[in-house]
């Protein structure tokens, strides 16, 4: 057997976990303790979450690279997203590393995304290290969580060496890791030592230069940048290169313009890189994720990156409301199409399909959040458009029967809410798989059609008074469960355009909850609230109080209105029905009927 040649002074590891289990906070401490920052230097928390949306939401959306020096070794670290909708980021990043650091919350234990990222890591042969994080929590139960982790590994392992992994206990916030579950202090050196000893050094291939593109970045000066790990050979500015698709077809020829290596949170320009390095290369303006950049002397590409197929679709349409174009900079179908095509180039988890309408595009993704993040990003860039209700993607089996996607749903809530939650999910065709105590809360596991979760999150928060935790992950395709209940409360729809008045809202206050405030401009067909009953209701929210020469003792009393519900893109697309749209502009988010003329819908009028 031929011994593999490895590069001993390099390691590459991805930090993976369920959302909010502390990945980015741990990276902060690794950077600090490795001497990346000078003494006294001010460093923001979660420094790797550099995007505005990431900082606002407190989640990692895009995978990011960094590198630290430890004992004469450069450890390349990739911080990956934890939310299930961004699983494609995790899948392609695994092509650049040999090991994964699996973080599990010491109180919550393994959750659906924990299973997903670990399954992907083991399938691709990555060596795992486990850190039971946040043991400083008051409700931490590290020993119980360790047992749950071992059960998870047993259910996923396909080789004996999958069960050979070190377990550490620690706190990313405090910055320590220990073999002792009762430890309360120290540093992260035990964890770094385990990375050096447990994670294999990268294998160096015996072919000329080859690199598979795992990520795409962009520079205003150099254009598109390819990010990946050098599989074999070495790279200089003089090397004649080609970008090749997985099927072997040539994309373009050229040479590397700029070559960068990662060092801390910065990129350092170098003149040469060799096998084992994670690099950033310019000079290939048409490069895409999954393509191979290689030396022309050996044009055989590396195996392409495979990601799971989307399970959800959402319609992006040109905004045709009466107030369209007032705040948006990019409003035409050409603008929207070009922007979606740019997104597809770097986001391998999305797909796009053309519809029969020239002003409508169908975007396919993993979940509502990934599509909502795309829409929010476009809104902040000055785009104006409309969104349809998310729809699941159906498949057909060999006999022609319809199959639909199912989700593995895990809920943690207080025991007093379990009955209401089980009943609500039963109406949505959810099947209870497991029920048990989980610390001081009840944990329920369901198998449910993905359709059953559309619009459920708001109802769930109401049922649990905002204290419940809901996590879900795609499980499989199964039999179609038939029709599901629609939204239980109807919409209040504007009859005539104008300015909203406090008088009109006060007169309609017993009808439901509003989305608008006094003095806002509205148009006929816009939805301004949710009524307490089923069915739609056309209302007059621009009605003014008629003036008379009569005076009453209460005439000077101020009108007191219930604060309206502020809509976000996520909450809006969860709320709407099939006959409704979300209008997205740089300055506002509205909901409306697809058919604006109320006489064509024939609802009751108030």
């Amino acid at each position: 057997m031929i011994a593999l040649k490895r590069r001993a002074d390099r390691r590459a590891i991805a930090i993976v976990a369920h959302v909010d289990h502390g990945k980015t906070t741990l990276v902060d401490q690794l950077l600090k303790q490795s001497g990346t920052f000078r003494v006294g230097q001010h460093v923001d928390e979660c420094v790797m979450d550099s995007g505005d949306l990431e900082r606002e939401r407190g989640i990692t959306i895009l995978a990011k690279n960094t590198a630290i020096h430890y004992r004469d070794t450069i450890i390349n670290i990739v911080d990956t997203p934890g939310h299930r909708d961004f699983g494609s980021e995790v899948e392609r990043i695994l092509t650049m590393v040999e090991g994964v650091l699996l973080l599990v919350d010491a109180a919550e234990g393994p959750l659906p995304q924990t299973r997903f990222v670990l399954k992907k890591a083991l399938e691709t042969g990555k060596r795992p290290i486990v850190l039971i994080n946040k043991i400083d929590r008051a409700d931490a139960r590290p020993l119980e969580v360790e047992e749950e982790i071992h059960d998870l590994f047993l259910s996923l392992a396909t080789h004996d060496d999958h069960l050979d992994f070190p377990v550490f206990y620690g706190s990313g916030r405090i910055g320590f890791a220990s073999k002792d579950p009762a430890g309360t202090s120290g540093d992260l050196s035990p964890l770094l030592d385990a990375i050096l000893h447990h994670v294999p050094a990268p294998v160096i291939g015996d072919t000329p230069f080859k690199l598979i593109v795992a990520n795409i970045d962009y520079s205003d000066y150099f254009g598109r940048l390819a990010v990946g790990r050098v599989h074999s050979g070495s790279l200089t500015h003089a090397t004649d290169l080609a970008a090749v698709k997985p099927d072997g077809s040539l994309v373009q020829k050229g040479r590397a313009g700029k070559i960068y290596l990662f060092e801390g949170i910065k990129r350092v320009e170098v003149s040469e890189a060799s096998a084992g390095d994670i690099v950033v290369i310019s000079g290939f303006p048409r490069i895409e994720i999954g393509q191979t950049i290689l030396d022309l002397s050996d044009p055989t590409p590396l195996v392409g990156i495979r990601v799971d197929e989307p399970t959800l679709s959402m319609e992006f349409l040109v905004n045709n409301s009466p107030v369209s174009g007032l705040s948006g900079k990019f409003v035409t179908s050409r603008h929207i199409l070009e922007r979606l095509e740019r997104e597809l180039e770097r986001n391998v988890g999305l797909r796009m399909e053309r519809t029969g309408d020239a002003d409508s595009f169908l975007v396919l993704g993993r979940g509502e959040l990934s599509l909502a993040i795309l829409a929010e990003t476009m809104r902040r860039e000055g785009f104006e458009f409309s969104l349809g209700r998310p729809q699941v993607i159906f498949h057909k089996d060999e006999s022609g029967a319809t199959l639909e996607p199912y989700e593995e749903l895990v809920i943690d809530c207080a025991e007093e809410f379990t009955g209401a939650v089980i009943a609500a999910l039963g109406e949505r065709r959810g099947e209870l798989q497991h029920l048990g105590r989980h610390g001081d809360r009840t944990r329920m596991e369901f198998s449910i059609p993905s359709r059953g979760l559309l619009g459920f999150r708001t109802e769930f928060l109401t049922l649990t008074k905002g204290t419940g935790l809901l996590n879900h992950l795609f499980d499989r395709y199964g039999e179609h469960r038939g029709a599901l209940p629609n939204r239980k409360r109807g919409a209040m729809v504007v009859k005539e355009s104008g300015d909203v008045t406090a008088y009109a809202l006060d007169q309609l206050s017993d009808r439901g909850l509003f989305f608008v405030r006094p003095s806002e401009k509205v148009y006929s067909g816009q939805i301004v609230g949710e009524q307490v009953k089923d069915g739609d209701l056309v209302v007059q929210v621009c009605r003014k109080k008629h003036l008379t020469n009569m005076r009453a003792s209460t005439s000077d009393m101020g009108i007191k209105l219930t604060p309206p519900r502020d809509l976000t893109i996520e909450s809006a697309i969860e709320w709407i029905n099939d006959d409704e749209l979300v209008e997205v502009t740089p300055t506002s988010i509205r909901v409306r009927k697809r058919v604006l003329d109320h006489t064509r819908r024939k609802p009751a009028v108030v």
Side-chain angles (χ1 to χ4, degrees), residues 211-420:
L211 172 148
I212 188 165
V213 181
N215 209 350
I216 292 290
D217 205 344
Y218 185 83
S219 165
D220 291 335
Y221 298 101
F222 307 115
R224 292 172 68 82
L225 304 173
V227 183
R229 194 182 70 186
V230 181
H231 176 266
S232 60
S234 60
L235 171 67
T236 67
H237 295 292
T239 310
D240 291 323
L241 303 174
V244 180
K245 294 181 179 180
D247 61 6
S249 58
L250 179 67
V251 177
Q252 65 180 115
K253 296 180 180 180
R255 293 183 178 181
K258 296 287 184 179
I259 306 171
Y260 298 98
L261 297 180
F262 291 96
E263 185 173 307
I265 59 174
K266 300 183 297 183
R267 294 172 182 168
V268 179
E269 186 176 355
V270 296
S271 58
E272 183 177 2
S274 55
D277 287 327
I278 293 180
V279 299
V280 183
I281 305 173
S282 69
F284 292 87
R286 299 196 302 275
I287 195 68
E288 293 184 6
I289 290 171
Q291 295 178 356
T292 301
I293 299 177
L294 46 74
D295 191 309
L296 282 169
S297 61
D298 184 359
T300 305
L302 298 171
V303 177
I305 297 174
R306 187 192 69 84
V307 297
D308 291 341
E309 292 297 313
T311 59
L312 203 67
S313 67
M314 191 164 70
E315 194 177 5
F316 282 64
L317 308 93
V318 172
N319 182 25
N320 62 357
S321 80
V323 295
S324 63
L326 295 182
S327 61
K329 184 178 179 182
F330 308 107
V331 299
T332 66
S333 60
R334 178 178 62 83
H335 288 137
I336 296 173
L337 175 60
E338 290 176 351
R339 178 59 180 85
L340 292 177
E341 288 177 338
R342 290 203 308 271
E343 184 69 19
L344 296 178
E345 291 178 355
R346 61 152 301 277
N347 192 337
V348 295
L350 296 181
R351 306 280 191 276
M352 185 180 69
E353 295 179 358
R354 301 298 296 266
T355 66
D357 185 352
D359 292 337
S360 173
F361 312 95
L362 203 62
V363 179
L364 290 66
R366 287 285 187 88
E368 292 168 277
L369 180 60
S370 62
L371 298 173
I373 289 291
L374 170 60
E376 178 65 27
T377 303
M378 291 173 61
R379 182 179 80 88
R380 296 186 182 199
E381 293 172 356
F383 284 84
E384 184 174 313
F385 52 92
S386 295
L387 299 172
R389 186 188 187 189
Q391 305 286 344
V392 300
I393 299 172
F394 297 106
H395 286 176
K396 296 284 186 180
D397 64 10
E398 297 177 353
S399 62
T402 301
L403 302 177
E404 66 175 319
Y406 279 70
E407 303 274 333
E408 174 190 347
L409 172 66
V410 177
I411 286 177
D412 287 338
C413 66
E415 186 175 0
E416 61 185 291
F417 305 128
T418 56

Side-chain angles (χ1 to χ4, degrees), residues 38-97:
R38 67 177 185 274
V39 177
Q41 179 179 350
H42 171 74
V43 181
D44 293 331
E45 291 185 0
C46 297
V47 66
M48 297 294 285
D49 285 346
S50 54
D52 292 340
L53 282 174
E54 292 178 317
R55 292 194 174 279
E56 290 174 18
R57 296 166 182 259
I59 60 174
T60 301
I61 297 173
L62 301 175
K64 300 175 186 66
N65 295 75
T66 185
I68 61 175
H69 291 263
Y70 183 71
R71 296 189 177 179
D72 300 323
T73 301
I74 294 178
I75 302 177
N76 286 294
I77 300 172
V78 188
D79 182 21
T80 63
H83 198 281
R84 46 93 68 175
D85 287 12
F86 307 108
S88 61
E89 294 280 323
V90 179
E91 292 173 272
R92 53 191 168 92
I93 289 308
L94 290 176
T95 62
M96 295 196 292
V97 301

Side-chain angles (χ1 to χ4, degrees), residues 551-606:
R551 296 292 182 268
S553 60
T554 59
S555 62
D556 293 330
M557 292 179 61
I559 296 174
K560 296 181 180 180
L561 299 174
T562 303
R565 180 192 297 174
D566 291 322
L567 292 175
T568 64
I569 292 179
E570 289 171 72
S571 62
I573 63 176
E574 275 193 352
W575 187 82
I576 61 173
N577 278 332
D578 292 336
D579 65 334
E580 297 162 353
L581 296 173
V582 179
E583 182 183 355
V584 181
T585 76
T587 57
S588 60
I589 297 169
R590 309 180 186 95
V591 285
R592 50 161 286 191
K593 287 292 182 179
R594 283 181 181 263
V595 178
L596 296 178
D597 185 356
H598 71 276
T599 61
R600 295 170 57 189
R601 298 190 307 270
K602 297 181 181 178
V605 180
V606 173

Side-chain angles (χ1 to χ4, degrees), residues 77-135:
I77 300 172
V78 188
D79 182 21
T80 63
H83 198 281
R84 46 93 68 175
D85 287 12
F86 307 108
S88 61
E89 294 280 323
V90 179
E91 292 173 272
R92 53 191 168 92
I93 289 308
L94 290 176
T95 62
M96 295 196 292
V97 301
E98 280 78 30
V100 294
L101 177 56
L102 178 69
L103 267 64
V104 182
D105 190 292
E108 296 181 4
L111 288 170
Q113 185 70 5
T114 313
R115 169 181 286 272
F116 171 79
V117 293
L118 179 59
K119 181 174 182 288
K120 293 296 181 183
L122 296 181
E123 286 176 349
T124 52
K126 311 305 176 186
R127 298 294 298 274
I129 297 173
V130 174
L131 172 63
I132 300 177
N133 196 26
K134 304 185 182 181
I135 65 171

